[in-house]
Structures are given as C-alpha cells and as structure tokens.
Amino acid sequence: MTPTSDPTAPRGPVAPAVMGRVIAVLGIGMLLSACQPDVSADAASSAAPAGAALPAASAVDHMPACPVGASVMDGWNDRAPPRRIFGNTWYVGTCGLSAVLVTSDQGHVLIDGGTVAAGPLIAANIRALGFDPHAVKYLLNSHEHSDHAGGLAHLQAATGAPLLARAPAVATLRRGKSDRSDPQYLEPGGTFPPVANVVVIADGEMVRVGPLALTAHATPGHTPGGTSWTWRSCEGARCLDIAYTDSVSAISDAQYRYLDHPQGVAAFRHGLDTLAALPCDIHVTPHPLGSDLFARLAGDGTPPLVDAGACQRYAQNGRAQLDARLKEEAAGRKP
C-alpha cells in the first residue's frame, strides 16, 4: 500500500473509502524493492535544497544545548534545539527522545511523538525551524510505548494528520494502553492519550507526500508493532539513505519470559535481520543516545555522521542482548 497526500484535500479523520483510494496494495514480491524508497535524486534534491527553511537565529540559538554526559533515561521532557540532520531531514525531538521531520514543498512527515509532555515541545520545534505543523500530512511511530507515542494525540490535534502504524500497534495506539503481548505491559506509566485517527500500514509499504517516499519495515520484538523507517535525503547532488530504526532492547516487566513466546522471538530475530540489511548511510534511533546522534551532529567527524555499517552493528548488538536474555531465562533468572 502506498499512502499518498493531496495537500489541497480537507484535513481531519480519513474515512475508509478515502483511504482505500489513497493506499494501493504492494505485492509481496515488491517488498525488497520497497526497501529502496522510489525517489529520484533529482526529485529529492529539488524538494530539499541545502539552504531551505533555515531558522532565524533568535528562534533557536537561545535554546540551551542538551547536557553532555546524560544517560538514555535523561532529558525525555527537555526541549532540544532543533537542527538539520541532512538535507530535508530535521531533528525536532527532546534531549532524550527523538522526533524527526522530513520536509518537502508539498507537505511533511513526522516520525514519533515522545511523551505527553514532549508533544508540545516537538510542535514548537517544528515552528522554530520555520515549518507549519499543519503542513504535516502523516504521523509515523516507531513503537507503541508512552515515551514515543505519548505526544501523538497532541501532535495529531496540532497537525490534523492521520497516524500510520502497523496492525499489531493499532489497538494499543487507539486505546492508549498495551496488552500482554507487550513484554513491558505491567511496567508503570504505560498508558498515554489515545490517538483518534490511526490507519493501518503494512510491512514494506511506502508513504508518499509529493516527492517524499518513506518505507515501513516490520521490526517487532521490543513491542509487537515495532516499525523502522527508511528514506532518502539530498543536499544538492549528494543523496544519502537515512534509517530510523526502532528499539531492539529485550527488556520486560517481571512476569514476561521471552522463552514462553517462541513465535515472538522468531519475529524479533527476523526484525534484527531486516535492520542489518537496511539502506543506512545515516542512522537515527528513537532514543538519540542509542545512535550517539548529538555527538555525530556536532560536525567534527568524530564520530562520523555518515556510517553505512551503523545499522548492521545496531542489529548485532540487539541480537547479542536477546541471546543473553534468553540464556538468563533458561538459567532460571527473572527480569
């Protein structure tokens, strides 16, 4: 299926008949080709000139930088200065939680919503960069936990955009609470505001807005609906593949055992194989420190922003964590 956006169409909830017209089914045989978004370098470049939408100095420069040395659990509700990642791809999240805006002259796509408190900060960062939140045509999500989905209801109200998610995540996103299929179901703070307008998108489907083309990749394990996204951004004649990869940590509440869910473990492993094979010049994760993003954006090349092996290493680390967790469970140790 290929969600598309008509910038002239009325905004609001999308009726099933309308979505039937805007989402066309891709055959299984198209899955591999869907991993390469169907955007020519010229089209992407024209949609995202390197100097486009630079924020006014006063809009961003007064924002304090995120503290150095913070942990992955810090800064979730602290506004980060928005900045360009590459071409038409922008960081608009907080110090501890990623949100990424991919822009074009015909509309934008926003990935992830952070916590409830982070939602308004993300909207403010979009405005600070000079973009109109109402030009966001689709919301996307990495996985259905409150630290990445909590702000989506606010952002849907601010943008009028539908949220696209894979089927295993849809019920959780609509009710704002997961179920026992989620390894972290019994962890405190698991609820979040329900998202009213959620549309199902399948593995391998491409989301299109004008020249933008973002592909969904099923990467379950951390949650059943875990989804990674790839697209291509350009600066002039230089075009790079960007991968926003979902969390791969095999963690749970005190009752869940991965060994009791062999099909889930198999899906987890398959998702890790998918991650390792993604086109991945620039790697971004739902927690920015998970991919050392801020250090890579510093511009000194240490560590480098562009690293084609990053997704493969990320998947290898996830596989090692999963194997370690299964070994602990087999030895009788509890989470």
Side-chain angles (χ1 to χ4, degrees), residues 179-205:
D179 56 29
R180 185 61 277 181
S181 66
D182 181 356
Q184 297 180 61
Y185 172 54
L186 298 178
E187 288 293 293
T191 61
F192 53 88
V195 185
N197 185 9
V198 186
V199 177
V200 177
I201 187 169
D203 181 25
E205 291 187 38

Side-chain angles (χ1 to χ4, degrees), residues 47-87:
L54 290 175
S58 60
V60 174
D61 288 353
H62 71 283
M63 298 182 197
C66 297
V68 176
S71 78
V72 73
M73 300 302 293
D74 295 329
W76 286 11
N77 299 328
D78 298 331
R79 186 177 180 184
R83 68 202 79 180
R84 188 194 302 273
I85 296 175
F86 182 81

Side-chain angles (χ1 to χ4, degrees), residues 13-334:
V14 180
V18 175
M19 288 309 302
R21 291 195 297 270
V22 299
I23 302 181
V25 178
L26 285 177
I28 296 299
M30 293 296 292
L31 177 57
L32 294 178
S33 62
C35 293
Q36 300 284 349
D38 184 19
V39 184
S40 71
D42 290 342
S45 178
S46 64
L54 290 175
S58 60
V60 174
D61 288 353
H62 71 283
M63 298 182 197
C66 297
V68 176
S71 78
V72 73
M73 300 302 293
D74 295 329
W76 286 11
N77 299 328
D78 298 331
R79 186 177 180 184
R83 68 202 79 180
R84 188 194 302 273
I85 296 175
F86 182 81
N88 61 337
T89 299
W90 308 81
Y91 188 87
V92 293
T94 67
C95 290
L97 297 171
S98 297
V100 170
L101 185 71
V102 188
T103 62
S104 81
D105 292 340
Q106 298 180 48
H108 318 316
V109 175
L110 177 64
I111 309 175
D112 270 348
T115 61
V116 172
L121 304 181
I122 293 168
N125 273 349
I126 293 171
R127 295 187 187 97
L129 288 171
F131 298 110
D132 181 359
H134 288 95
V136 174
K137 304 302 182 183
Y138 291 115
L139 303 175
L140 310 179
N141 179 230
S142 58
H143 67 265
E144 61 278 25
H145 278 163
S146 60
D147 50 336
H148 307 286
L152 289 172
H154 175 90
L155 290 164
Q156 186 163 91
T159 63
L163 170 64
L164 306 183
R166 290 196 309 108
V170 170
T172 294
L173 292 164
R174 286 176 176 166
R175 68 174 171 252
K177 183 175 177 61
S178 64
D179 56 29
R180 185 61 277 181
S181 66
D182 181 356
Q184 297 180 61
Y185 172 54
L186 298 178
E187 288 293 293
T191 61
F192 53 88
V195 185
N197 185 9
V198 186
V199 177
V200 177
I201 187 169
D203 181 25
E205 291 187 38
M206 191 173 288
V207 179
R208 292 187 182 275
V209 176
L212 304 182
L214 292 82
T215 302
H217 306 272
T219 51
H222 187 75
T223 68
T227 305
S228 298
W229 300 91
T230 57
W231 64 96
R232 196 162 175 81
S233 287
C234 300
E235 291 186 356
R238 187 189 188 203
C239 296
L240 297 174
D241 291 306
I242 301 182
Y244 188 95
T245 63
D246 191 28
S247 300
V248 295
S249 52
I251 57 178
S252 73
D253 57 39
Q255 293 188 17
Y256 187 92
R257 281 172 29 101
Y258 284 87
L259 285 176
D260 295 335
H261 303 273
Q263 290 183 333
V265 171
F268 202 153
R269 293 193 185 282
H270 186 269
L272 292 170
D273 291 340
T274 296
L275 287 174
L278 291 180
C280 184
D281 295 317
I282 297 178
H283 183 215
V284 184
T285 48
H287 293 269
L289 291 182
S291 51
D292 207 11
L293 181 63
F294 295 152
R296 291 164 47 231
L297 289 173
D300 61 5
T302 309
L305 176 62
V306 179
D307 181 356
C311 285
Q312 187 173 21
R313 292 194 303 274
Y314 184 71
Q316 289 171 346
N317 289 337
R319 191 173 292 108
Q321 291 177 33
L322 177 59
D323 289 342
R325 171 62 188 259
L326 293 171
K327 184 177 180 180
E328 289 176 357
E329 289 182 359
R333 288 189 286 272
K334 294 187 176 182

